Structures are given as structure tokens and as C-alpha cells.
Amino acid sequence: MGISRSAATLVGRAAESAQLGAVLSTALTGSGRAVVVCGEAGIGKSALLTACADQAERAGFTVLRGSASEIEQQFPLWPFLELLRTGNSSVGRLRQEYRAAVAALRQHSAGAMADPVPAVAERLFQAVERQCADGPVLLVLDDLQWADEMSAALWTRLARQAKQLPLVMAAAVRSGAGEGEVSAVLRGLERGSGLTIRLGPLSDQAVMALADNQLTGPAAPSLLRELSRAGGNPLHLTELLALLRENGALATGPHGLEVGPGRHDLSLGATITDRIQHLSAELREILGVAAVLGPEFQLADLSIVSGRPLIALLPIVDEALAAAVLVPTSERLSFRHHLIWQAFADGIPAALRGVLHRQVAEALARTGAPLEQVASQLLQADDAGSDAWAVGWTADHARELVDRSPTVAVGLLARAVAVRSPAVDLTALQLRTVEALIASARSEEAEALARGVLTEGSIEPDDAAEASWLLARALHSQALSSGGLHDAAEVVTAATRIDGMSERCSARLLAESAFHLFWSDRPVEAIEAAAQAVISGERSGESFALAYARWMQVVMARVHDGNLAAALELSTRGLALCVDGTHPRIERLIRTQRVVITGALDRLVEAEQEIAEIRRVGDRLAAPDPGATAAIAAHRFRTGQWDDALFELDRLNENVHEHAAVLSRGLTALVAAHRDDRATCEAQLHLMRDHRPEAPAGHAAAQWLLMARSVAAERSGLAGQALAALRPVLDPKIAAVLEDPCDWLPIIVRLALATGDRATAEAAAAVRPPGPTEPSTAYRHHTALHCAGLLAGDSAALVAAADYYASSSRPLRQANALEDAAELLASQGSPIEAKRRLEDAVAAYTALGALWDVRRARARLRARGIRQGARGPRVRATSGWASLTSTELRVAHLVAVGRSNPEIAAELLLSARTVQSHVSHILAKLSFRSRVEIAGEAARRGLTEGGG
């Protein structure tokens, strides 16, 4: 009598298997789904997903399978890196993505303040999308409850995208995992169209079938009664049956196999522990070592840490596989269940566990194992990880650790610092710890440690310089609390006077001080610091400081001096320092300024080229930049591409920084206010109800919020409040930090005249941005003409301004000027011309979807006796093919010809996320479920050839 090792672990799961099969079948038609399988430990979640993966492979899916682990939880994106590494097909492409992602996580760009993880998450997202363009994909993630924050966010994002791709996202979650990152995933699944499968205990009939399947004879009723105490848990049943067999407790009776006399502890933990004792001593020893490596491991690693050659391990591993303690998983071996691994790990005495982790760390490091594996072992070594080798390894890999996992870096670096070994540079370790603390959003601790470093009497001048600029960063990150910006400026300014530092460090400090001085409202000092940084950078060859200083000179020439021509020329010099991919972060900052400058100069083709370059540089950078995204969104808004602007803002909505939130919500509210979408406008303004920027610099992000408040107030009949919302623009210090205060001046003049406040109207019309009088930009000239026309009652000036706005692709400003001209013409007794200008204004507003502006314009003219007629504004369709915007039509065409989202993004000069949003909107407007349906509709309309 015995147990067959072909244990039918899926007995009793026919309904659940059918559900997963249906999801796979639908994915083959182009529309996938997210599925989460929930249940207690051992209930069969992993077995169900394994069967699903086998079925998917037979159907031609690319299967990507990985698992989250409590051990690797502190390393962002580790589960996704693993599943890319072990994909079952298109191995070449996936391996390339894996290597590129790992390299990106470990590279450190000198001076870069960005976290590399978001950019790698974007890269992994696009890798899955590209794979979907080649065929259906099943992505399986086991033990999702252990996923780190970024992995959970990436899984959720892919799950949302699955319905428009041949993509099935499947995950297993242990019951009771209601806290942490997985709770947000489950809530998102419930709100969306995901499927949750909850595995309960096996039925009595299924228990009988499972027992019959594993035993050499039928189970007697007495045995089934004993097995019922396992609570219908397949793992417990399987382990219990194996234990009973190994204990010789099964006997053949008149009704089948029965449990012999004696007491048997049937708890799952006790069952697993008892089963382990039946394994050979040699196998238990080896599996104890294997447990130190984690729930999964490579045989080569086990050979190294156990000190046994592979040939000697093979028979031992065969025994473990035969006993169903280990199972093969792709290129690794895995404990059959987390509970079995935990039993072996818990069997290691606590005093020995740390020593083993320390020994394993060194053994892995000698073979060139991934940094994450070594660091994970060292972190678990506790006090045993404080010896000379551990401290030396931490010091040698400090910068990589900060980049890969700041949280892990803080733990290992703090331990290394505490040892105070004379064999390593203690100050360097402390500085890397400061970096890790800043990256971990622990800026107050970073500030304290940086100040402590600076008070040490023996610190080298260059170290003091680095400690100073790190301290300034820590203070800057606390800038929302009073004094942060000013304190940061004081720190770096004082540091520039450190005696004995190298000129390279001096250049870096001067460039940093220019940044902090400017944003703490000390522009004169900032301009001088940047100039000195350029001189020192050129003399010392410190190219990062030189490029950083050039960027600051561009910002100050545009914002403080108002000299767009000079800013553009300086930006060209700065870009020359960023050739061949050098200093990509600075290149993106400079190109962001060029988007604003070229847009203001009406060089729209160049502005679009700069946006394309920002996309290209962004693909290589560590993290998306809210400033670049904001500049692109603002450019799209000004040029009438409001839907595209909103799609850009989708990226900012994921940024938790207040500056990004204020900008995103302000511009979203402004578009909604113009479009008379009261619900969206009020919701966004409610979120920002307490935001009142105090320092002038705070208005740079809040300018759209101020305008949204103004439009919302005017819509409610509160013209006085509408004017009050925009008064800050008349403050020269505030106007200096706005991208272009001219955007708002004609509106201020109109509102002021409407409320009888001619003094404010004249003050607004008299505002001149800083900078040379000549050559002034055409936009500034015509804005001044617009304001002057309102004040003087000169309709010809207003029409001339409108004509210019139209030629420079500023449709909202064009419509504003036409509306103002129409009212003025009506008041001057020219009703026919007034009506014509009104109709032109309404047409421009309607093209934007600006329904509130249409209502306001008609109301103003109605008060003058001019009526456009009974026909209301042509409201843009909200569903069907006619509702697609021009950009959505181009995206639909490219989807129809088989392009992936990253390919569409490259062709249309959009971000991949913007394309994703467009595809989602197309599906919603057409009531479609997949890209296949988009392609079919496009083909029906003859759009699969040529443009859309």
C-alpha cells in the first residue's frame, strides 16, 4: 500500500478551472482580464495557476511566471525581473529586457536625484505590451501578498490594461492578506472588470476522490473521517496521507484502507514537521541549507553554499523530488509549498541562522550573484553581518545599494557605519547613508546625519562639500515646511567658502547654490553663482556642474530676465554639454525649458521636436520628470489640444509631490470649467480648497489653479471673485515665475472693466514682462494689443489680436479676442459685424468643447441685443466613431495596422502612457472590449491603409 506521486491536486476544482479556461479563450480574441485566486495556505492556489499556465502554453501563450517573496520584498520590482528572466518563449527579447532593466536599476548617474525604479517599471510595462503585440500573454504572479509597492502598482496597471490586450494577469493571494500593498490591488480588481476566485475547502466528495487518487486502494469510511479533520485543504490531505503511509499507519480492512490504532496529530504544521523527520538525515541537512537561500534557489547556488559538488547533490535532490518536498520551477528548484520551506527555515537554531546567512552572502558574492541576493542574505545575518568582509562588501557596493533599494541600503549602511572599521572610508559610508535616507523619504534623518558629518573635525574638504549639497537636498525636500528653501540656500552658500576643496567640488557647489538661491528668491546671487559655476566647471572639467549651471542660466534668463532669445542661446550651449547621452537628466531639464521658450516664440514645429527629444531622453532616465510633463501639458493646452493635455496629466496624477498635484489638478479643473463639466471642476477644486501659495515660487505650479478658480467663480456669477483669483498675477515677483503672465492679462482687463474697476484694468494692461523691450515676442505684443483694445474700445485692435492668435495656434485666446470684439462692435452700433465675430468665437469655442465660454459669449452679446439664433452650439459627440478626436483617430489607425503602444508612442511623439489612455478612451467611446475590435472597425471604414 502506498501513495501515487501523481497526486491530483486539482481534484474538486473543475468550476474554477473552467473559469480560467474561459478567460484564456477570450484573451485569444484580443481582450484579456485580471484574475486573482484567493485562499488559505495549501488550498491549491498555486496548483490551479500552474494548470492554467500549462493550458495557456498549449494554446500558444507566452507564459511569464514569477512569485513575490517576503525576503525580497524590499527590492522593488524583483518579482517582475524574475518572470521576465524565465519567460517560456521569445527568450531572446525577454532576456534583453531583463538585462536592460537590471542595468538601469544599478546604474548611478552622477548627481542624479531621481529614483530609478519608476522608469524601470515603465520599461517592464512596455516590454509586456510589446510581447502582447506578438501574441497572447499569461502573466502569473504567485504570493502577491508579498509584493513590494512598485510591483503591486505595476501589476495593477497591467491588470487595468489587460482588457484591451491579449493579456491575462493571474495572481495568487493568501487569505487574510488585507493589509499592505495587496489590499489596494484587490480593491482595484473589485472596482474594475477583474475576476476574483475564492478557493474554499474541498467537498467531501472531492476529498474522497483525492484520497482514492493518491492511495493504492479505496479509502475506508474510518480513514475518510480522519481525513475530514484536515478541513478540505489539499496540501494538508496530501501531507497527512504521506505521513500515515510512512508511519505504517494504514492497514487494509474490510471496507478499504483504514487508519491503524494509535493517536495521530493531524494539524498541518505537525504533519509537515513529522514528514520532515522521515527524510534521511543527509537530505534534511541539505534542505536546511537550501532554506537559507529562500523558497526558490538554483542548484548551483546550493552547491556553492553547501560545499558539495553538483554531482554529489544530484541523488539528494532526486530524493527530495521523489518525496515531493522540492519541485522543479523553470531553471530553479522550489520548496513545494511556502509552509514546507518555513518548516525547514524555522528548524535552524536562531543562534546559527545569522551565521549561515552571512556565510551564504559571501559564497554568493564570490560567484558574482546578483547584488539583491547578497544584500538580502546580509540583511538577514543581523549581528553576524558586521564583520570585516560584510562591511567591506557594503562599502564597495554602497552606491549600487542606494540605487537598487534605499531601504535595504539604509539598513546595511547603518550597520557598517556602527562598526567604524578603519579599513573603510567611514565618511563615504555616512554620505551614502544620507543619500539612501533622502531616497527613502526620510529627509529629517538625512538632515541630522548630514549635519553630524559636517561637525566632525577631521572631515576632508571635498567630503564636507558633498555633505553640504546633500544637506541642502534634504532641506529642499522639506521645503513645504517653513524655511526649507532658504535654509538650503544658506547651507550651499556657506559651503562654497570651504577652504581646500577641489575646484570640481567648488563648481558643483556653485551650481547647486544657484538652484537653491534662485528658488529662495535671491536671483541676483543665483545669477552670480551660476556664472562662477560655469567658470569653475570649464577650468576643472566638471561637466555635470557646468551643464547644471547652464540649465540654471537658461531658467534665469527666461524667468528673471524675460529674455527668451538669450535663454534659447544659452540652452544651445547647455545641450552641447549633453552629447552622446551624457547627463540625460540635465538634457531633459534644458529641453523642457526649450518647449516653453519655442512655444512662446511661436516656433511650434521646434516645440514639437523638443517634446520628441524629451520622450527619447526619458526612455533612458531613472524616473519621469513632473516638470517636463507639466510643460508638455501646458503647451498642449495653449495650442488647443486639450484632450492630449489631459492625457499628459494622467502621468502627473501618479506623482505624490504637492507641486505636481497642484499643477495637475489645477489644469484639469480649468479644462473642466471651460467645458462646463461642473462635477469634475468642483471635485478638483475641492481637493485644492486649502492650497494658498505663500512664496512667489509656489505660484508657478498654482497658475492653472488660480485660473480655474476664476472661471468657476465667473460661471457662478461672481465676477468680483473671478477677478480676485487672478490679482496675484499683477505682483511682479509672482509674474516673474509664471511661464508667461501674458496668458492671463486680457482676462484680468475684461473682468476688471466688467466690475467697474478701471484702475486694475489699466494696471493689467500696463504690465510688461521683464526683458528687453525689443525684440519683443509677437505673442507679448499682441497680448498688449488685446489689453489696449479692451481699454480703448478699439475693435480693430481686438480683431488684429484674434487674427494673430489664430495664426499662432492659440484657439482659446483667439476665441476670447473675437468674443471681446463682438461685444464691443455691438455696443458701437455694428450688429452685423458683431454677430459675425460672435459666430467665429462660438465656432472656435465649440471646437475646443468649451461650452461654458459659448454660453458666456452669447450672454454678453444678448445683453447688447445680439442673438446668434435658436440653434445651440454643436456639441461634440460623446460616443461612436464621430466622437473620436483627431489624435484618437490616428491612434486607432495605428492600432488597426498592428502597432503596439510603444510603437505608436514613438511615431506620434507621445508617451506610452498617453497612448494607453487614448486606446482606453477609444474602447470606451466605441463600446469595444479589445484592440481587435478597433482594427475591425477601422478596416470596415477603410482606414487600415494610409492615415486615419
Side-chain angles (χ1 to χ4, degrees), residues 246-298:
E246 291 161 2
N247 281 342
L250 294 179
T252 302
H255 302 292
L257 292 172
E258 297 179 336
V259 179
R263 296 182 57 82
H264 306 283
D265 185 347
L266 297 182
S267 70
L268 180 55
T271 300
I272 291 174
T273 300
D274 282 354
R275 279 217 60 215
I276 289 173
Q277 296 307 313
H278 284 80
L279 303 174
S280 69
E282 184 180 33
L283 178 55
R284 291 200 305 271
E285 178 188 348
I286 291 298
L287 290 179
V289 175
V292 176
L293 289 169
E296 292 185 0
F297 57 90
Q298 291 183 320

Short mmCIF file of all heavy atoms in Angstrom, two decimals, residues 246-298:
data_model
loop_
_atom_site.label_atom_id
_atom_site.label_comp_id
_atom_site.label_asym_id
_atom_site.label_seq_id
_atom_site.Cartn_x
_atom_site.Cartn_y
_atom_site.Cartn_z
N GLU A 246 4.04 6.61 5.67
CA GLU A 246 5.41 6.46 6.14
C GLU A 246 5.47 5.94 7.58
O GLU A 246 6.44 5.29 7.98
CB GLU A 246 6.14 7.80 6.01
CG GLU A 246 6.39 8.18 4.53
CD GLU A 246 6.68 9.66 4.34
OE1 GLU A 246 6.74 10.38 5.36
OE2 GLU A 246 6.85 10.09 3.19
N ASN A 247 4.44 6.21 8.36
CA ASN A 247 4.38 5.70 9.73
C ASN A 247 3.84 4.28 9.79
O ASN A 247 3.74 3.69 10.87
CB ASN A 247 3.48 6.60 10.59
CG ASN A 247 4.20 7.87 11.02
OD1 ASN A 247 5.43 7.94 10.98
ND2 ASN A 247 3.44 8.88 11.45
N GLY A 248 3.48 3.75 8.65
CA GLY A 248 2.90 2.41 8.63
C GLY A 248 1.54 2.36 9.30
O GLY A 248 1.14 1.33 9.86
N ALA A 249 0.82 3.51 9.27
CA ALA A 249 -0.45 3.61 9.99
C ALA A 249 -1.64 3.21 9.15
O ALA A 249 -2.78 3.27 9.61
CB ALA A 249 -0.64 5.04 10.51
N LEU A 250 -1.42 2.85 7.88
CA LEU A 250 -2.54 2.44 7.02
C LEU A 250 -2.59 0.92 6.94
O LEU A 250 -1.57 0.25 6.76
CB LEU A 250 -2.36 3.03 5.61
CG LEU A 250 -2.46 4.56 5.50
CD1 LEU A 250 -2.23 4.98 4.05
CD2 LEU A 250 -3.81 5.05 5.99
N ALA A 251 -3.78 0.42 7.09
CA ALA A 251 -3.98 -1.04 7.01
C ALA A 251 -5.22 -1.33 6.18
O ALA A 251 -6.15 -0.53 6.16
CB ALA A 251 -4.13 -1.62 8.41
N THR A 252 -5.20 -2.48 5.55
CA THR A 252 -6.34 -2.86 4.72
C THR A 252 -7.40 -3.52 5.58
O THR A 252 -7.12 -4.48 6.30
CB THR A 252 -5.91 -3.81 3.59
OG1 THR A 252 -4.91 -3.17 2.81
CG2 THR A 252 -7.10 -4.18 2.72
N GLY A 253 -8.59 -2.96 5.54
CA GLY A 253 -9.70 -3.51 6.29
C GLY A 253 -10.79 -3.99 5.36
O GLY A 253 -10.63 -3.94 4.13
N PRO A 254 -11.90 -4.43 5.89
CA PRO A 254 -12.98 -4.96 5.05
C PRO A 254 -13.59 -3.93 4.11
O PRO A 254 -14.17 -4.27 3.08
CB PRO A 254 -14.01 -5.47 6.07
CG PRO A 254 -13.70 -4.72 7.32
CD PRO A 254 -12.22 -4.50 7.32
N HIS A 255 -13.46 -2.61 4.47
CA HIS A 255 -14.08 -1.58 3.65
C HIS A 255 -13.04 -0.73 2.92
O HIS A 255 -13.36 0.32 2.37
CB HIS A 255 -14.95 -0.66 4.53
CG HIS A 255 -16.01 -1.40 5.26
ND1 HIS A 255 -17.09 -1.99 4.64
CD2 HIS A 255 -16.14 -1.68 6.60
CE1 HIS A 255 -17.85 -2.58 5.52
NE2 HIS A 255 -17.30 -2.42 6.73
N GLY A 256 -11.77 -1.18 2.91
CA GLY A 256 -10.72 -0.42 2.25
C GLY A 256 -9.62 -0.07 3.22
O GLY A 256 -9.49 -0.66 4.31
N LEU A 257 -8.79 0.91 2.86
CA LEU A 257 -7.68 1.34 3.70
C LEU A 257 -8.20 2.08 4.93
O LEU A 257 -9.00 3.01 4.81
CB LEU A 257 -6.72 2.23 2.90
CG LEU A 257 -5.93 1.54 1.77
CD1 LEU A 257 -5.18 2.56 0.94
CD2 LEU A 257 -4.97 0.51 2.36
N GLU A 258 -7.70 1.66 6.10
CA GLU A 258 -8.13 2.27 7.35
C GLU A 258 -6.91 2.76 8.11
O GLU A 258 -5.77 2.35 7.85
CB GLU A 258 -8.89 1.25 8.21
CG GLU A 258 -10.17 0.75 7.56
CD GLU A 258 -10.88 -0.28 8.43
OE1 GLU A 258 -10.17 -0.91 9.26
OE2 GLU A 258 -12.10 -0.43 8.29
N VAL A 259 -7.16 3.64 9.08
CA VAL A 259 -6.09 4.12 9.96
C VAL A 259 -5.94 3.12 11.09
O VAL A 259 -6.93 2.75 11.75
CB VAL A 259 -6.42 5.51 10.52
CG1 VAL A 259 -5.30 5.99 11.45
CG2 VAL A 259 -6.64 6.50 9.40
N GLY A 260 -4.69 2.66 11.28
CA GLY A 260 -4.43 1.70 12.34
C GLY A 260 -4.58 2.34 13.71
O GLY A 260 -4.76 3.56 13.85
N PRO A 261 -4.51 1.54 14.76
CA PRO A 261 -4.67 2.06 16.12
C PRO A 261 -3.54 3.03 16.47
O PRO A 261 -2.44 2.98 15.93
CB PRO A 261 -4.62 0.80 16.99
CG PRO A 261 -3.91 -0.21 16.15
CD PRO A 261 -4.26 0.09 14.74
N GLY A 262 -3.80 3.90 17.42
CA GLY A 262 -2.82 4.90 17.86
C GLY A 262 -3.34 6.29 17.59
O GLY A 262 -4.30 6.52 16.86
N ARG A 263 -2.70 7.30 18.22
CA ARG A 263 -3.12 8.69 18.06
C ARG A 263 -2.24 9.36 17.01
O ARG A 263 -1.05 9.13 16.90
CB ARG A 263 -2.99 9.45 19.39
CG ARG A 263 -3.91 8.91 20.48
CD ARG A 263 -3.77 9.75 21.75
NE ARG A 263 -4.05 11.15 21.53
CZ ARG A 263 -5.28 11.68 21.49
NH1 ARG A 263 -6.33 10.89 21.65
NH2 ARG A 263 -5.44 12.97 21.32
N HIS A 264 -2.85 10.22 16.21
CA HIS A 264 -2.14 10.92 15.14
C HIS A 264 -2.49 12.40 15.22
O HIS A 264 -3.67 12.77 15.14
CB HIS A 264 -2.53 10.35 13.77
CG HIS A 264 -2.35 8.87 13.67
ND1 HIS A 264 -1.11 8.29 13.49
CD2 HIS A 264 -3.26 7.86 13.76
CE1 HIS A 264 -1.27 6.97 13.45
NE2 HIS A 264 -2.55 6.68 13.61
N ASP A 265 -1.46 13.24 15.40
CA ASP A 265 -1.68 14.70 15.43
C ASP A 265 -1.91 15.14 14.00
O ASP A 265 -1.03 15.04 13.15
CB ASP A 265 -0.44 15.41 16.00
CG ASP A 265 -0.68 16.90 16.17
OD1 ASP A 265 -1.68 17.41 15.62
OD2 ASP A 265 0.16 17.56 16.83
N LEU A 266 -3.11 15.60 13.71
CA LEU A 266 -3.47 15.91 12.34
C LEU A 266 -3.37 17.38 11.99
O LEU A 266 -3.84 17.80 10.94
CB LEU A 266 -4.90 15.42 12.06
CG LEU A 266 -5.10 13.89 12.18
CD1 LEU A 266 -6.53 13.54 11.84
CD2 LEU A 266 -4.14 13.16 11.28
N SER A 267 -2.77 18.23 12.85
CA SER A 267 -2.60 19.64 12.46
C SER A 267 -1.61 19.72 11.31
O SER A 267 -0.71 18.89 11.17
CB SER A 267 -2.09 20.47 13.65
OG SER A 267 -0.75 20.12 13.95
N LEU A 268 -1.76 20.74 10.44
CA LEU A 268 -0.93 20.84 9.25
C LEU A 268 0.53 21.02 9.62
O LEU A 268 1.42 20.36 9.06
CB LEU A 268 -1.41 22.00 8.37
CG LEU A 268 -0.64 22.23 7.07
CD1 LEU A 268 -0.60 20.96 6.22
CD2 LEU A 268 -1.27 23.37 6.27
N GLY A 269 0.81 21.92 10.58
CA GLY A 269 2.20 22.15 10.97
C GLY A 269 2.84 20.90 11.52
O GLY A 269 3.98 20.55 11.15
N ALA A 270 2.13 20.20 12.36
CA ALA A 270 2.69 18.98 12.94
C ALA A 270 2.87 17.92 11.87
O ALA A 270 3.85 17.15 11.89
CB ALA A 270 1.76 18.47 14.04
N THR A 271 1.96 17.87 10.93
CA THR A 271 2.07 16.88 9.86
C THR A 271 3.32 17.12 9.04
O THR A 271 4.07 16.18 8.72
CB THR A 271 0.82 16.95 8.96
OG1 THR A 271 -0.34 16.68 9.75
CG2 THR A 271 0.92 15.94 7.82
N ILE A 272 3.55 18.38 8.67
CA ILE A 272 4.74 18.71 7.86
C ILE A 272 6.01 18.41 8.66
O ILE A 272 6.97 17.83 8.14
CB ILE A 272 4.69 20.18 7.41
CG1 ILE A 272 3.56 20.38 6.39
CG2 ILE A 272 6.02 20.61 6.81
CD1 ILE A 272 3.32 21.81 5.99
N THR A 273 6.01 18.78 9.94
CA THR A 273 7.19 18.53 10.77
C THR A 273 7.47 17.04 10.88
O THR A 273 8.63 16.59 10.77
CB THR A 273 6.99 19.13 12.17
OG1 THR A 273 6.77 20.54 12.04
CG2 THR A 273 8.20 18.90 13.04
N ASP A 274 6.43 16.26 11.09
CA ASP A 274 6.60 14.81 11.18
C ASP A 274 7.12 14.24 9.87
O ASP A 274 7.98 13.34 9.85
CB ASP A 274 5.28 14.14 11.56
CG ASP A 274 4.98 14.27 13.04
OD1 ASP A 274 5.86 14.79 13.77
OD2 ASP A 274 3.87 13.88 13.46
N ARG A 275 6.63 14.73 8.77
CA ARG A 275 7.08 14.22 7.47
C ARG A 275 8.56 14.53 7.26
O ARG A 275 9.29 13.72 6.69
CB ARG A 275 6.28 14.87 6.34
CG ARG A 275 4.91 14.21 6.14
CD ARG A 275 4.55 14.16 4.66
NE ARG A 275 5.52 13.41 3.89
CZ ARG A 275 5.89 13.71 2.64
NH1 ARG A 275 5.39 14.76 2.04
NH2 ARG A 275 6.76 12.96 2.00
N ILE A 276 9.00 15.69 7.70
CA ILE A 276 10.42 16.05 7.55
C ILE A 276 11.29 15.04 8.29
O ILE A 276 12.36 14.64 7.82
CB ILE A 276 10.66 17.49 8.06
CG1 ILE A 276 10.03 18.50 7.09
CG2 ILE A 276 12.15 17.77 8.23
CD1 ILE A 276 10.06 19.93 7.58
N GLN A 277 10.81 14.59 9.45
CA GLN A 277 11.61 13.65 10.24
C GLN A 277 11.77 12.30 9.55
O GLN A 277 12.69 11.54 9.87
CB GLN A 277 10.96 13.46 11.62
CG GLN A 277 10.93 14.73 12.47
CD GLN A 277 12.31 15.38 12.59
OE1 GLN A 277 13.30 14.70 12.88
NE2 GLN A 277 12.36 16.69 12.36
N HIS A 278 10.91 12.00 8.59
CA HIS A 278 11.03 10.74 7.88
C HIS A 278 12.03 10.80 6.73
O HIS A 278 12.33 9.79 6.11
CB HIS A 278 9.65 10.29 7.35
CG HIS A 278 8.77 9.73 8.41
ND1 HIS A 278 8.04 10.52 9.28
CD2 HIS A 278 8.51 8.43 8.78
CE1 HIS A 278 7.36 9.77 10.10
NE2 HIS A 278 7.62 8.49 9.83
N LEU A 279 12.51 12.02 6.43
CA LEU A 279 13.52 12.15 5.39
C LEU A 279 14.87 11.74 5.94
O LEU A 279 15.11 11.77 7.15
CB LEU A 279 13.58 13.61 4.89
CG LEU A 279 12.27 14.20 4.34
CD1 LEU A 279 12.46 15.68 4.02
CD2 LEU A 279 11.80 13.43 3.11
N SER A 280 15.80 11.40 5.06
CA SER A 280 17.14 11.00 5.52
C SER A 280 17.84 12.18 6.17
O SER A 280 17.55 13.35 5.87
CB SER A 280 17.96 10.50 4.33
OG SER A 280 18.28 11.59 3.46
N ALA A 281 18.74 11.89 7.08
CA ALA A 281 19.47 12.94 7.79
C ALA A 281 20.25 13.82 6.81
O ALA A 281 20.32 15.05 6.95
CB ALA A 281 20.41 12.33 8.81
N GLU A 282 20.82 13.19 5.80
CA GLU A 282 21.59 13.95 4.82
C GLU A 282 20.69 14.92 4.05
O GLU A 282 21.06 16.08 3.82
CB GLU A 282 22.28 13.00 3.85
CG GLU A 282 23.20 13.71 2.86
CD GLU A 282 23.88 12.73 1.91
OE1 GLU A 282 23.26 11.70 1.57
OE2 GLU A 282 25.02 13.01 1.51
N LEU A 283 19.51 14.46 3.68
CA LEU A 283 18.60 15.32 2.94
C LEU A 283 18.11 16.48 3.81
O LEU A 283 18.02 17.61 3.36
CB LEU A 283 17.41 14.51 2.42
CG LEU A 283 16.32 15.30 1.67
CD1 LEU A 283 16.93 16.07 0.50
CD2 LEU A 283 15.21 14.37 1.19
N ARG A 284 17.82 16.17 5.09
CA ARG A 284 17.37 17.24 5.98
C ARG A 284 18.46 18.31 6.13
O ARG A 284 18.17 19.51 6.15
CB ARG A 284 17.01 16.67 7.36
CG ARG A 284 15.76 15.81 7.36
CD ARG A 284 15.17 15.69 8.77
NE ARG A 284 16.14 15.19 9.74
CZ ARG A 284 16.35 13.91 10.02
NH1 ARG A 284 15.67 12.97 9.36
NH2 ARG A 284 17.23 13.54 10.93
N GLU A 285 19.71 17.86 6.21
CA GLU A 285 20.81 18.81 6.35
C GLU A 285 20.91 19.71 5.11
O GLU A 285 21.03 20.94 5.23
CB GLU A 285 22.13 18.06 6.54
CG GLU A 285 23.35 18.98 6.63
CD GLU A 285 24.65 18.20 6.63
OE1 GLU A 285 24.61 16.96 6.80
OE2 GLU A 285 25.71 18.83 6.46
N ILE A 286 20.86 19.12 3.95
CA ILE A 286 20.98 19.89 2.70
C ILE A 286 19.78 20.83 2.53
O ILE A 286 19.93 21.99 2.12
CB ILE A 286 21.10 18.94 1.49
CG1 ILE A 286 22.44 18.23 1.53
CG2 ILE A 286 20.95 19.71 0.19
CD1 ILE A 286 23.64 19.17 1.43
N LEU A 287 18.60 20.35 2.86
CA LEU A 287 17.42 21.20 2.71
C LEU A 287 17.42 22.35 3.72
O LEU A 287 16.87 23.42 3.47
CB LEU A 287 16.14 20.37 2.84
CG LEU A 287 15.87 19.40 1.68
CD1 LEU A 287 14.59 18.61 1.94
CD2 LEU A 287 15.77 20.15 0.36
N GLY A 288 18.04 22.14 4.87
CA GLY A 288 18.19 23.23 5.82
C GLY A 288 19.05 24.34 5.25
O GLY A 288 18.76 25.54 5.40
N VAL A 289 20.14 23.92 4.55
CA VAL A 289 21.00 24.93 3.89
C VAL A 289 20.23 25.60 2.76
O VAL A 289 20.29 26.82 2.58
CB VAL A 289 22.28 24.27 3.36
CG1 VAL A 289 23.11 25.27 2.57
CG2 VAL A 289 23.10 23.68 4.50
N ALA A 290 19.48 24.79 2.01
CA ALA A 290 18.70 25.34 0.90
C ALA A 290 17.68 26.35 1.40
O ALA A 290 17.41 27.37 0.74
CB ALA A 290 18.00 24.21 0.14
N ALA A 291 17.11 26.11 2.56
CA ALA A 291 16.11 27.03 3.11
C ALA A 291 16.69 28.40 3.38
O ALA A 291 15.99 29.41 3.32
CB ALA A 291 15.50 26.45 4.39
N VAL A 292 17.99 28.46 3.68
CA VAL A 292 18.64 29.75 3.89
C VAL A 292 18.65 30.56 2.60
O VAL A 292 18.55 31.80 2.61
CB VAL A 292 20.08 29.55 4.41
CG1 VAL A 292 20.80 30.88 4.55
CG2 VAL A 292 20.07 28.82 5.74
N LEU A 293 18.72 29.87 1.46
CA LEU A 293 18.71 30.57 0.17
C LEU A 293 17.34 31.14 -0.15
O LEU A 293 17.23 32.08 -0.94
CB LEU A 293 19.13 29.60 -0.94
CG LEU A 293 20.61 29.19 -0.95
CD1 LEU A 293 20.82 28.04 -1.93
CD2 LEU A 293 21.49 30.38 -1.32
N GLY A 294 16.28 30.58 0.42
CA GLY A 294 14.94 31.08 0.18
C GLY A 294 14.02 30.01 -0.34
O GLY A 294 14.43 28.86 -0.57
N PRO A 295 12.74 30.35 -0.59
CA PRO A 295 11.78 29.35 -1.07
C PRO A 295 12.15 28.78 -2.43
O PRO A 295 11.76 27.67 -2.77
CB PRO A 295 10.46 30.14 -1.16
CG PRO A 295 10.65 31.29 -0.23
CD PRO A 295 12.09 31.65 -0.30
N GLU A 296 12.89 29.55 -3.25
CA GLU A 296 13.39 29.06 -4.53
C GLU A 296 14.89 29.25 -4.57
O GLU A 296 15.43 30.18 -3.98
CB GLU A 296 12.74 29.82 -5.70
CG GLU A 296 11.26 29.55 -5.88
CD GLU A 296 10.73 30.23 -7.14
OE1 GLU A 296 11.53 30.89 -7.84
OE2 GLU A 296 9.53 30.10 -7.41
N PHE A 297 15.58 28.38 -5.29
CA PHE A 297 17.03 28.50 -5.36
C PHE A 297 17.54 27.79 -6.59
O PHE A 297 16.85 26.95 -7.19
CB PHE A 297 17.69 27.92 -4.10
CG PHE A 297 17.34 26.48 -3.84
CD1 PHE A 297 18.12 25.45 -4.36
CD2 PHE A 297 16.22 26.15 -3.09
CE1 PHE A 297 17.79 24.12 -4.14
CE2 PHE A 297 15.88 24.83 -2.86
CZ PHE A 297 16.66 23.80 -3.38
N GLN A 298 18.75 28.12 -6.98
CA GLN A 298 19.40 27.44 -8.08
C GLN A 298 20.31 26.35 -7.51
O GLN A 298 20.95 26.54 -6.47
CB GLN A 298 20.21 28.42 -8.92
CG GLN A 298 19.33 29.39 -9.71
CD GLN A 298 20.15 30.30 -10.59
OE1 GLN A 298 21.21 30.78 -10.19
NE2 GLN A 298 19.67 30.56 -11.80
#
